Amino acid sequence: MKTSQHLIEFYNNYDEDNRLAPKHGMVEFFTTMRYIQQHLKSGERVLEVGAGTGRYSHALARQGYIVDTVEWVEHNIEIFRKNTQENERIIVYQGDALDLSAFPDNQYDITLVLGPLYHLYTIDEKRQVIREAIRVTKLDGIIFAAYVISDGCLLDEGFQRSNINVMKYIQKGLLDSETFAAKSKPQDLFEFVRKEDVDELMSVFPTTHLHYVTCERSDFVGVTSHALDIFKNDKKS
Ligand SMILES: C[S@@+](CC[C@H](N)C(=O)[O-])C[C@H]1O[C@@H](n2cnc3c(N)ncnc32)[C@H](O)[C@@H]1O
């Protein structure tokens, strides 16, 4: 297993099923669904990698799309199964976003990676997840990758709510004292990135960049704690 035990312990004790229920979560859900629906056509196939309890996957399956999902944490899979309705064409597999070898090449119209990149700490591992997502996605298919954005979290959790002691984070080496860039490790659970990290990560892939959401106004980039990178798969095979 390549994925951290910290992750399993965290999700065993976290109410992932209700994460998108509060107002800010609903904004994330409806915004993401709006972009997914812009790109999906009737009868198309979706893969969700790191599906959690299936908020997006179930919503899409209930709209008639054929959905496969991969999730690492058994606890989330159990809730995913309880949430499944009879009319859904949906399958959940236990597996790791780093290794989608159970899935053939060029299979999906849309691949969602809304979570695994929150919990990977090296560029090599993040690229492996993106590489696998590209491999299983059809030529011209669309991939959605979500990230936790460091500056928005720092502004909110550090300066507004005081849940993070910024000085202690700097002393512990979790924040760079000059640039305020975050440096996460697996025990910190969430990997915080900036737009420039996403651009560097993506620079090696044959893709066309379509959107950088949560807000497409460039003067708001960084104010958010959650961003969605949407790109088209240009690989030939
Ligand atoms: C924040 S939740 C998001 C769930 C869902 N995609 C959503 O957006 O509502 C992240 C999910 O990704 C799963 N995950 C994290 N790393 C993973 C990996 N390497 N392979 C498979 N699942 C992973 C976690 O267990 C968790 O259920």
Side-chain angles (χ1 to χ4, degrees):
M1 185 199 86
K2 294 177 193 161
T3 303
S4 156
Q5 275 298 331
H6 297 285
L7 177 99
I8 298 170
E9 281 158 29
F10 173 76
Y11 282 106
N12 281 348
N13 296 291
Y14 177 72
D15 185 7
E16 173 58 29
D17 204 34
N18 279 311
R19 185 178 65 85
L20 296 169
K23 278 185 191 156
H24 68 273
M26 284 166 69
V27 171
E28 181 180 322
F29 179 78
F30 288 123
T31 306
T32 306
M33 284 298 279
R34 178 172 162 267
Y35 279 91
I36 294 171
Q37 278 159 340
Q38 270 182 18
H39 293 284
L40 260 184
K41 292 178 211 73
S42 169
E44 287 193 336
R45 297 196 60 178
V46 178
L47 176 69
E48 184 174 13
V49 184
T53 61
R55 283 277 168 184
Y56 290 101
S57 289
H58 288 308
L60 293 167
R62 285 168 204 167
Q63 290 173 12
Y65 300 106
I66 305 162
V67 184
D68 288 339
T69 68
V70 180
E71 168 57 44
W72 180 257
V73 177
E74 288 288 357
H75 174 71
N76 284 346
I77 294 175
E78 270 173 41
I79 298 169
F80 185 108
R81 292 207 165 104
K82 281 190 199 138
N83 289 345
T84 305
Q85 295 179 356
E86 265 181 28
N87 61 342
E88 293 179 29
R89 286 184 290 175
I90 197 165
I91 301 177
V92 56
Y93 300 89
Q94 199 274 334
D96 192 339
L98 289 154
D99 176 11
L100 300 180
S101 53
F103 299 86
D105 298 357
N106 309 321
Q107 193 78 2
Y108 297 96
D109 300 281
I110 285 201
T111 301
L112 307 174
V113 187
L114 310 176
L117 294 159
Y118 302 171
H119 301 292
L120 292 170
Y121 308 90
T122 68
I123 194 161
D124 288 347
E125 284 190 320
K126 289 180 212 173
R127 281 187 175 153
Q128 174 64 14
V129 166
I130 299 288
R131 192 173 298 112
E132 281 290 76
I134 290 173
R135 182 183 63 74
V136 298
T137 305
K138 291 177 184 172
L139 175 65
D140 292 334
I142 311 292
I143 299 158
F144 290 62
Y147 298 89
V148 184
I149 300 300
S150 61
D151 300 271
C153 285
L154 196 61
L155 286 170
D156 188 27
E157 299 290 343
F159 295 110
Q160 193 165 332
R161 297 191 219 207
S162 301
N163 289 336
I164 290 176
N165 181 328
V166 176
M167 188 51 80
K168 278 210 175 123
Y169 267 51
I170 291 174
Q171 284 163 353
K172 282 164 76 180
L174 293 170
L175 282 175
D176 185 287
S177 60
E178 288 189 9
T179 65
F180 284 92
K183 302 175 195 168
S184 322
K185 299 193 187 82
Q187 59 269 31
D188 305 317
L189 266 170
F190 285 87
E191 165 78 336
F192 298 145
V193 299
R194 287 174 162 168
K195 172 86 167 47
E196 64 252 34
D197 302 316
V198 176
D199 291 341
E200 188 197 350
L201 175 70
M202 291 306 300
S203 63
V204 298
F205 293 112
T207 56
T208 300
H209 187 253
L210 301 176
H211 308 278
Y212 186 77
V213 189
T214 185
C215 180
E216 297 205 70
R217 285 176 58 101
S218 56
D219 48 345
F220 277 9
V221 168
V223 178
T224 177
S225 57
H226 178 269
L228 185 59
D229 195 38
I230 307 176
F231 50 93
K232 181 164 72 69
N233 174 17
D234 294 336
K235 72 155 190 321
K236 291 283 182 297
S237 181

